[in-house]
Amino acid sequence: MSRPYSNLQPHARDSLELASLASSSPGRRTSSSSTSSRSGISSSRKLSLEEDDPLDDRNPAVSGRPGPHNRSFSVSSTFDFASNLFPLSSTTGNGYAPIGAPISTSNGQNALGGGSLEKHKTLTYLNGLSLIVGLIIGSGIFSSPSQVNVNAGSPGASLIVWAIAGLLAWTGAASYAELGGAIPLNGGAQVYLSKIFGELFGFLFTWCAVMVLKPGSSAIISIIMGEYLVRAAIGAEAENISPWINKSVALVGLFGVTLLNCISTKLGTRMGDMFMFFKFVALLGVTVIGIVVAVTGFSASGQANQDWKTIGWFEGTSTNASSWAVALYAGLWAFDGWDNTNYVVGEFRNPSRDLPRVIHTAMPLVILSYILANVAYFFVLPIKAINGSNTVAVMFGSKVFGPIGSLILALIVSASCFGALNATTFTSGRLVYVAGKEGYLPEIFGKIGAWRSEDRGMNTIRTRNWASKKLAKMFGDEETGLFFTPINAMVLNAALTACYIFVGEFGTLLTFYGVAGYTFYFLTVLGLIVLRVREPNLERPYRTWITTPIIFCCVSLFLLSRAIFAEPLQTVVVIAFIGVGVPIYYWRIRGRDKGMKRERSDSVGEGHGWKFWKRFQR
């Protein structure tokens, strides 16, 4: 599916390859490029494909073994190739800058030679799987699958809707898998939109995702987690207590998750792995219990449900296309989060191999789990009870095991929400971090750590006392120790999420999520088709069927049109919010580019005239 670069004609080489090969051609270097190679440039976009990383022991150029794609590599003591991988902000077009184009220097604190998450590739296939599963399986399948059931009209029809929604989400995830393999950098849609359509589109996505989409969804997850924890502690009386108690618990959970993810990448990913297995075990338990109840008729409270026997599974199926659309929309909402791993592709040890594997393992597992869980609900609970409840899992536990079952299921739902909150906190921090690196946000959000300087790096750990070293070994990352994470970025995300928790009004947010979210989903997947035409020779370790992005784009347009007609006023608000991002973009980018031009002129001027001695002071 992917072509080795050595088979391409020189004139057919794409911009990504040319950037990665630039330093292999010393004759094409300019004075500005040699200057920049020492300090790097402020962008996560400068990083090479995973196998091109000279810091990686598996780099074929380092080990002397031929690479799988027969690429040429730059191997020098100063890793000169790094500064020839330009950020999108210094390009002449919509992609990476051509060879020989002048590049700018930047603050060394954000340079590749300083702190960089992408230099320390730690994520594995299991970590990626836990990020997707952790966010998709949150509270929806445990609390309120009623929207799908009510609008589909019958249990059988609702199961079909769950399957179709899962398959459609899978088409989007498969499209993102191809984009992530072709452009294996942190940032997700921000990177892809900037590369394909220009920086304005990438910035507008960042503007919406950082300010509304990510913190808004985190706030919803946090509040649901708080409600279920309070319910588990107090019981049925929880419905009558002050909502601020639920919000207080939600804030404690939010700050706890943020702290854990700030400590180290290892701690965040291990917690995600643990909760992923927990969720699958919980859904498997619900399924097994439902089957046992159906076979034995056991029930701790009254007679076991007989609806699944006496009422046809397709009896009452809706014939209204609009109702099916609403059911499909609700199902797709429950599968949302399939793009989660793309935010951290740059930290994968082997993204070209693991990203497609993650997508094509997670999606069928989640689809199957959702269908089986709904079957179990139908076996245990009456259809009317399922359709009218926002606490289906708690009712399920109470029906089978009584009060103790209700308590256990409430704890399971809250734990599932905690795992989802961990996954979204992990990836949201990376999105903000990349935005800070690229200049979309103040550069403080593109830093690693909070109180230490970037150039100290992991050497600071070696100078600490025995206790600090022990803690770093237990909880820190292998090479970088404790707090080598985008702390400032995650603190910003937590602060915005806390604001949404305080406000607590999510009706408008759901419309915003539907319109803005699927607009950018549509543009990103459409970009895959554009990239196929524009850069056919771009190496794609994974290539999906062309019908996959086409199907997803059609579904996205359908959902967008429905949202626009259903909520025209709120849609205008969404469009206005996106429009506000345009002048902010030009304000941010103009200031960033002026700084780059100034640094570039200073760099060029250092080697001429009365500053000639500057050449020899490096």
Side-chain angles (χ1 to χ4, degrees), residues 190-524:
Q190 173 185 309
V191 182
Y192 313 145
L193 291 171
S194 297
K195 164 76 171 110
I196 299 167
F197 297 116
E199 274 202 295
L200 175 60
F201 289 84
F203 178 87
L204 291 178
F205 167 79
T206 303
W207 165 247
C208 292
V210 171
M211 298 302 297
V212 179
L213 300 181
K214 281 292 190 178
S217 62
S218 297
I220 294 174
I221 295 170
S222 300
I223 289 181
I224 294 175
M225 179 190 68
E227 289 176 349
Y228 275 90
L229 276 176
V230 172
R231 173 182 288 271
I234 299 178
E237 294 80 9
E239 296 181 0
N240 301 320
I241 66 171
S242 169
W244 286 103
I245 295 179
N246 298 333
K247 292 184 179 183
S248 299
V249 176
L251 289 171
V252 170
L254 170 66
F255 296 145
V257 165
T258 302
L259 175 61
L260 290 172
N261 279 279
C262 286
I263 291 174
S264 70
T265 297
K266 180 173 75 173
L267 201 56
T269 54
R270 285 190 175 179
M271 188 163 55
D273 297 344
M274 178 184 69
F275 278 103
M276 177 189 68
F277 287 115
F278 170 81
K279 292 179 183 188
F280 277 131
V281 169
L283 287 174
L284 180 62
V286 167
T287 301
V288 171
I289 291 171
I291 294 173
V292 170
V293 168
V295 172
T296 64
F298 172 79
S299 175
S301 55
Q303 187 178 1
N305 172 50
Q306 299 295 316
D307 284 2
W308 65 276
K309 291 182 179 179
T310 59
I311 300 177
W313 281 66
F314 288 93
E315 183 178 328
T317 299
S318 175
T319 57
N320 188 327
S322 179
S323 296
W324 277 80
V326 175
L328 181 62
Y329 190 83
L332 285 169
W333 172 269
F335 281 102
D336 197 61
W338 43 261
D339 62 327
N340 220 30
T341 302
N342 287 75
Y343 290 109
V344 294
V345 172
E347 295 174 62
F348 269 83
R349 291 176 180 173
N350 195 335
S352 60
R353 180 195 68 189
D354 288 340
L355 183 59
R357 289 175 60 199
V358 165
I359 296 295
H360 296 307
T361 304
M363 295 310 299
L365 282 176
V366 173
I367 293 170
L368 182 62
S369 297
Y370 275 18
I371 292 175
L372 291 177
N374 276 279
V375 170
Y377 294 152
F378 290 131
F379 281 156
V380 174
L381 298 172
I383 296 176
K384 289 183 178 179
I386 296 175
N387 293 348
S389 174
N390 289 324
T391 57
V392 172
V394 175
M395 289 180 57
F396 179 93
S398 178
K399 181 72 174 178
V400 180
F401 300 113
I404 187 65
S406 177
L407 171 64
I408 292 173
L409 266 296
L411 290 174
I412 287 175
V413 175
S414 60
S416 179
C417 290
F418 190 86
L421 186 60
N422 176 74
T424 191
T425 298
F426 187 93
T427 55
S428 297
R430 269 60 182 179
L431 174 63
V432 176
Y433 161 77
V434 171
K437 281 279 191 181
E438 195 58 39
Y440 298 162
L441 295 175
E443 65 176 295
I444 189 174
F445 298 114
K447 287 187 175 183
I448 301 298
W451 55 85
R452 67 186 185 190
S453 61
E454 296 280 347
D455 56 349
R456 289 170 65 187
M458 55 189 170
N459 293 330
T460 56
I461 298 168
R462 301 191 182 100
T463 63
R464 294 174 181 172
N465 57 35
W466 177 86
S468 298
K469 291 180 180 179
K470 192 71 175 177
L471 287 173
K473 185 175 181 181
M474 291 175 59
F475 302 110
D477 298 314
E478 183 177 349
E479 295 180 356
T480 55
L482 297 172
F483 299 106
F484 194 83
T485 56
I487 295 176
N488 299 329
M490 283 190 282
V491 168
L492 175 63
N493 179 71
L496 292 172
T497 302
C499 292
Y500 282 100
I501 291 175
F502 280 119
V503 173
E505 176 54 53
F506 300 115
T508 303
L509 178 62
L510 294 177
T511 302
F512 189 101
Y513 207 104
V515 175
Y518 269 90
T519 295
F520 289 114
Y521 280 154
F522 166 75
L523 289 174
T524 304

Side-chain angles (χ1 to χ4, degrees), residues 117 151 166 231 295 309 402 413 542 565 602:
L117 289 173
N151 287 283
R231 173 182 288 271
V295 172
K309 291 182 179 179
V413 175
Y542 168 77
F565 286 113
D602 291 344

Side-chain angles (χ1 to χ4, degrees), residues 55-226:
L55 303 177
D56 194 326
D57 293 334
R58 289 169 287 109
N59 183 342
V62 176
S63 61
R65 297 185 299 272
H69 303 299
N70 300 321
R71 286 180 181 160
S72 58
F73 298 86
S74 169
V75 186
S76 68
S77 60
T78 55
F79 309 125
D80 287 345
F81 88 105
S83 293
N84 288 301
L85 290 170
F86 307 105
L88 296 167
S89 55
S90 66
T91 63
T92 56
N94 289 332
Y96 286 73
I99 291 178
I103 59 177
S104 62
T105 57
S106 173
N107 190 334
Q109 289 182 339
N110 287 338
L112 184 59
S116 174
L117 289 173
E118 298 89 345
K119 279 176 60 178
H120 304 279
K121 299 179 184 295
T122 58
L123 300 187
T124 62
Y125 162 75
L126 183 62
N127 300 147
L129 194 63
S130 67
L131 286 174
I132 288 188
V133 172
L135 190 52
I136 293 180
I137 303 178
S139 64
I141 191 61
F142 293 109
S143 57
S144 55
S146 58
Q147 283 295 315
V148 175
N149 301 338
V150 169
N151 287 283
S154 67
S158 67
L159 294 179
I160 292 175
V161 171
W162 281 111
I164 293 174
L167 292 173
L168 291 175
W170 197 350
T171 62
S175 302
Y176 270 59
E178 177 174 327
L179 289 168
I183 311 173
L185 302 172
N186 278 6
Q190 173 185 309
V191 182
Y192 313 145
L193 291 171
S194 297
K195 164 76 171 110
I196 299 167
F197 297 116
E199 274 202 295
L200 175 60
F201 289 84
F203 178 87
L204 291 178
F205 167 79
T206 303
W207 165 247
C208 292
V210 171
M211 298 302 297
V212 179
L213 300 181
K214 281 292 190 178
S217 62
S218 297
I220 294 174
I221 295 170
S222 300
I223 289 181
I224 294 175
M225 179 190 68

